[in-house]
Amino acid sequence: MTELSTLSRSIAGRTALITGCASGMGRATAKLFAAEGAHVAATDIHGEGVRETVAEIEAAGREAAAWTLDVGDAGAIRRVVDEAAARYGGLDILVNNAGISRGGPIDADEYEERWQETVNVLLTAHQRMIRAALPYLRQSDSPRIVNIASTEGLGATAMNSAYSAAKTGVIGLTRGLAVELGREGITVNCICPGPIRTAMTARIPEEHKQIYARRRTALRRYGDPEEVAHGTLHLCLPASSFITGVALPVDGGLTVRRA
Amino acid sequence: MSLPAEATVFAPSTSDRDQLAVLHPSTDLPALRRDGPLVIEQGKGIRVRDEQGREYIEGMAGLWCTALGYGVEELADAAAEQIRKLSFSHLFAGRSHEPAVALAEKLREMAPIANAKAFFGTSGSDANDTQVKLVWYCNNALGRPEKKKIISRRRGYHGVSLAAGSMTGLPTFHKSFDLPLPQFRHVTCPHHYRDAEPGETEAEFTARLAAELDELICAEGPETVAAFIAEPVLGAGGVVVPPEGYHPAIQEVLDEHDVLLIDDEVICGFGRLGTPFGAEAMDMKPDTVSVAKALSSAYLPISAVLVPDGMVDVIVEAGERWGVFGHGFTYTGHPVCAAVALRALELMEERNLFAHAARVGRYFQAGLRRFAGHPLVGEARGVGLIGACELVADKETRAAFPVHRGAGAYCQDRCLDHGLILRALGDTLAFCPPLIVTESDIDEILERFGRGLDETLAWVEAGGGAS
């Protein structure tokens, strides 16, 4: 086999810091990365949820540790990143996954407040996590950054403009840093999940999920968090060394379907 | 107005869900399948918002019905209070309840006929079906079982159920539904602009229509004709105001042949023409009356048939021979609908709404008439707070546009673009704003309409829809 392929498709032994691991795509990513042999530093604002994720990983005989982290808190970010790097002796992979959804029309009284919160958690936190992790990533031989954007960063749904703006910003941040950090061999990519069964979409009734998926996606179904996690894993492989600055839709064909 | 609820990403729009689950009433269904619905989500005052948060002036008061406008707290409270106290009881088999009695008393006090009793339903259609059944029942009770035919006007609108739909004089509601039923006849619409002979004055036109009615009754045999039904001003048929003297002339014929006049006040009732009932504005002397729509300001579905004591006596006496009076609906006199309707009528009084409607109605009519000079407008017409502009291809000859061209629908859509909901009845654009509308609201309505109309003219001149 070694004669046929030279690049590694394994993240075994590498350290991945993943935010938003209490549920959904973050939890699925943490479990997949642990299953692939990575050391997972899992964080979430919901301490109990992230500890459950870690417990599941440990029960499977894999390695992970939990931190309670509000990514809206700049000081906490630096502390947790430093602790995680100290625990595992560095960082190879950063997955900025934590997110919130705060919709509402542009002329809503509470728009300003929602905008601030949305941009802070969905966009500002990404650059802060990256800035905090950068010194450690620079020490890695295959440094990888994956930001979770959204198909809402490629198109938009009405009355969701703050979210859409922040996700579009994540794509811009990804591209900017891909160019900026490229000379150091750090790849920066983002994933644009579409309709996925997560906490964010939990309140959409199953019947409505099916109507939406049948009308809008090529695959005619909602996706599962693990399907997004595999997209993220792909971008984190040592073998994905020449892929940078991309925004990869993992959306069942939502963005390509016209009718 | 509060803003639309938080949108959900990756959820189907209400419009998407609608297409799967709803069969729409009175709709061009292929066009709906192609274009999807306009989903209205909220309303306050005379304005509504769609699911995208766009605001519109409801220039049609919904379906000619939201007299007090949207979001009236007192009506929400009246409904909530009654639901908590007694959410349902009925009027069958000797039951009664306070809200139905109080509303019936209020209607007896207001009605344009003396000593009226109320029979409740939930829509104008069922009210008009009830009218037919009561007339038939009474004539059976009076020993004249042949006297059953009902006469209405072409372009009249009285609903869509089997009897009401038969009285309606619009082909859309007949074709493919095997209507009208055999006992129903139609006479000429009293629309001088469209139905008068060349050179015929309004007086001559009126005399001709009265003669036509007389001839029809004679041809059918007066002993077979039970009633004539009329809206004071025709609504869905294109907002047609009959010529002065029309109703008195018709009344003379009806009196001569002992034919009842059923007054369909479903649209005109409760201030629409600037008077409490349309009968007062149009000089009608009805025997019975149908009301619905503004009766509850459309907050809840309710209708009533108002019949004089004498007619009720006939029905009661028949009961001695025939037993139970076998007509009524589960929701006849529904206590919540009745409580809300009573509160709506009280609010109309407290706010002096009919006088307001008369005042702003004059302002509206003057404004609407200014469009009569527009190259597309054949006739600008109306009374009180109901009006219309009829678009024509040629003002001189009054030639209409070919139906397939859809000039009225195009104008309706352009008005919608400018945030104004009107209704195209063929190529006639109908106006029927909530009665709470102010003079400045009317300015805004007419300004938006003017823009839509000018765009329609540009479209017509460019040959739009002509292929």
Side-chain angles (χ1 to χ4, degrees):
Chain A
M1 288 294 284
T2 50
E3 297 88 28
L4 296 178
S5 170
T6 55
L7 298 174
S8 167
R9 290 191 56 79
S10 170
I11 58 169
R14 296 185 179 275
T15 298
L17 195 162
I18 305 167
T19 64
C21 292
S23 66
M25 297 186 294
R27 174 174 280 189
T29 306
K31 288 163 71 173
L32 175 64
F33 278 37
E36 293 292 312
H39 304 132
V40 175
T43 81
D44 202 288
I45 194 170
H46 301 295
E48 197 175 327
V50 69
R51 284 191 293 276
E52 269 174 32
T53 302
V54 167
E56 283 184 41
I57 290 170
E58 287 173 342
R62 298 292 178 168
E63 172 60 36
W67 278 267
T68 302
L69 171 64
D70 173 4
V71 296
D73 179 344
I77 282 177
R78 192 157 287 281
R79 178 180 56 76
V80 168
V81 170
D82 288 343
E83 285 177 16
R87 177 179 175 119
Y88 292 115
L91 281 179
D92 302 292
I93 296 165
L94 169 64
V95 179
N96 274 313
N97 168 76
I100 52 168
S101 172
R102 300 279 184 273
I106 186 70
D107 47 0
D109 294 338
E110 57 276 25
Y111 190 84
E112 184 68 31
E113 189 186 316
R114 288 180 174 182
W115 171 275
Q116 292 297 345
E117 194 184 0
T118 299
V119 170
N120 195 36
V121 171
L122 291 186
L123 182 56
T124 307
H126 282 213
Q127 58 87 354
R128 285 180 177 153
M129 289 295 302
I130 292 166
R131 280 157 54 82
L134 201 52
Y136 305 108
L137 294 172
R138 280 179 166 143
Q139 306 302 314
S140 169
D141 59 359
S142 291
R144 301 283 181 261
I145 298 171
V146 174
N147 298 317
I148 303 301
S150 169
T151 48
E152 289 293 291
L154 303 169
T157 302
M159 282 174 288
N160 198 40
S161 55
Y163 185 87
S164 189
K167 290 299 193 182
T168 306
V170 170
I171 296 171
L173 177 71
T174 301
R175 289 173 175 158
L177 294 183
V179 174
E180 184 174 332
L181 301 177
R183 69 185 62 197
E184 299 182 57
I186 301 173
T187 69
V188 188
N189 294 291
C190 63
I191 296 278
C192 296
I196 308 294
R197 295 177 191 282
T198 65
M200 195 175 107
T201 56
R203 68 197 175 100
I204 301 170
E206 182 56 33
E207 194 187 348
H208 291 182
K209 281 191 173 96
Q210 286 181 18
I211 293 170
Y212 179 86
R214 279 200 298 265
R215 277 188 80 90
R216 305 294 174 97
T217 69
L219 294 176
R220 268 73 171 174
R221 65 175 178 84
Y222 250 61
D224 289 321
E226 195 179 336
E227 296 180 286
V228 179
H230 276 279
T232 304
L233 171 62
H234 173 68
L235 294 174
C236 293
L237 298 175
S240 295
S241 48
F242 204 57
I243 302 172
T244 194
V246 305
L248 176 68
V250 180
D251 65 353
L254 177 79
T255 48
V256 296
R257 184 173 169 191
R258 281 205 193 284
Chain B
M1 193 187 303
S2 63
L3 291 150
E6 188 172 305
T8 306
V9 187
F10 305 131
S13 63
T14 306
S15 168
D16 288 344
R17 288 158 48 211
D18 173 284
Q19 298 265 350
L20 277 174
V22 181
L23 171 59
H24 282 259
S26 294
T27 297
D28 177 345
L29 295 173
L32 178 73
R33 184 163 287 179
R34 190 175 63 239
D35 304 332
L38 170 64
V39 180
I40 301 295
E41 202 166 77
Q42 290 190 46
K44 186 74 185 169
I46 65 161
R47 289 155 208 272
V48 295
R49 266 180 194 264
D50 68 16
E51 64 174 343
Q52 304 294 325
R54 279 205 64 200
E55 192 174 274
Y56 307 86
I57 295 179
E58 223 324 342
M60 272 299 294
L63 288 171
W64 328 81
C65 54
T66 59
L68 287 163
Y70 298 82
V72 176
E73 291 293 332
E74 291 91 334
L75 297 178
D77 291 344
E81 199 178 307
Q82 184 58 43
I83 287 169
R84 291 199 176 91
K85 186 176 177 185
L86 178 67
S87 57
F88 178 76
S89 193
H90 60 81
L91 303 181
F92 278 38
R95 298 277 182 84
S96 192
H97 53 73
E98 169 65 22
V101 174
L103 179 61
E105 285 174 343
K106 186 75 192 163
L107 289 170
R108 190 174 174 93
E109 171 197 319
M110 296 177 74
I113 60 173
N115 305 319
K117 284 184 167 60
F119 180 93
F120 293 111
T122 52
S123 74
S125 286
D126 73 49
N128 286 332
D129 265 34
T130 292
Q131 291 276 17
V132 172
K133 289 182 74 176
L134 293 185
V135 167
W136 287 355
Y137 192 93
C138 281
N139 281 345
N140 286 334
L142 292 168
R144 44 189 200 186
E146 298 301 311
K147 203 169 173 65
K148 296 288 168 58
K149 289 173 191 162
I150 311 284
I151 301 173
S152 58
R153 283 94 51 90
R154 285 188 279 280
R155 293 174 62 193
Y157 183 87
H158 303 288
V160 296
S161 47
L162 291 174
S166 294
M167 295 189 288
T168 288
L170 295 160
T172 299
F173 300 93
H174 289 167
K175 62 184 179 193
S176 310
F177 287 110
D178 294 1
L179 291 180
L181 297 174
Q183 301 94 328
F184 297 84
R185 302 288 181 274
H186 296 87
V187 290
T188 301
C189 176
H191 190 193
H192 185 264
Y193 178 78
R194 275 283 162 226
D195 296 297
E197 303 290 350
E200 196 174 35
T201 66
E202 286 202 348
E204 289 163 350
F205 178 56
T206 293
R208 178 161 67 81
L209 297 195
E212 179 199 23
L213 178 64
D214 185 58
E215 283 160 22
L216 176 66
I217 294 172
C218 291
E220 296 287 339
E223 71 287 356
T224 71
V225 180
F228 179 81
I229 185 167
E231 302 156 271
V233 167
L234 288 82
V239 186
V240 176
V241 184
E244 205 179 324
Y246 170 79
H247 281 292
I250 292 294
Q251 189 68 56
E252 217 171 288
V253 175
L254 300 178
D255 289 346
E256 190 185 328
H257 298 296
D258 188 21
V259 173
L260 296 176
L261 174 62
I262 301 169
D263 174 16
D264 183 340
E265 294 271 0
V266 171
I267 288 177
C268 297
F270 308 106
R272 180 53 60 190
L273 308 188
T275 50
F277 291 89
E280 291 139 3
M282 293 292 118
D283 204 8
M284 294 167 77
K285 303 279 180 289
D287 294 288
T288 67
V289 178
S290 293
V291 291
K293 296 191 188 287
L295 169 57
S296 69
S297 200
Y299 275 71
L300 285 173
I302 184 165
S303 64
V305 170
L306 306 177
V307 291
D309 286 345
M311 204 166 147
V312 173
D313 290 344
V314 170
I315 295 168
V316 173
E317 282 159 22
E320 300 289 351
R321 289 171 279 152
W322 298 342
V324 170
F325 171 63
H327 180 64
F329 310 104
T330 301
Y331 301 136
T332 287
H334 192 290
V336 182
C337 303
V340 167
L342 181 62
R343 191 75 190 99
L345 298 183
E346 287 169 357
L347 289 174
M348 289 175 192
E349 272 182 359
E350 288 166 21
R351 297 173 184 183
N352 211 4
L353 194 67
F354 303 160
H356 169 83
R359 192 171 57 253
V360 298
R362 283 189 290 276
Y363 184 80
F364 169 64
Q365 294 301 330
L368 194 63
R369 292 304 187 281
R370 286 200 285 276
F371 289 103
H374 191 280
L376 275 187
V377 176
E379 188 185 35
R381 57 181 180 254
V383 56
L385 281 173
I386 187 169
C389 281
E390 181 166 343
L391 311 188
V392 291
D394 186 327
K395 279 172 84 87
E396 284 301 309
T397 64
R398 303 184 178 184
F401 287 104
V403 174
H404 67 79
R405 199 157 173 195
Y410 184 85
C411 187
Q412 172 186 278
D413 290 348
R414 295 295 71 72
C415 291
L416 206 59
D417 290 344
H418 298 302
L420 174 64
I421 295 176
L422 296 180
R423 183 156 165 214
L425 304 163
D427 289 336
T428 295
L429 276 298
F431 297 73
C432 185
L435 301 186
I436 56 167
V437 75
T438 64
E439 292 184 350
S440 70
D441 293 332
I442 288 168
D443 289 342
E444 215 174 334
I445 289 170
L446 296 178
E447 186 271 329
R448 292 179 187 193
F449 172 63
R451 281 194 277 160
L453 189 60
D454 286 344
E455 287 169 8
T456 306
L457 176 61
W459 174 82
V460 165
E461 287 174 346
S467 60

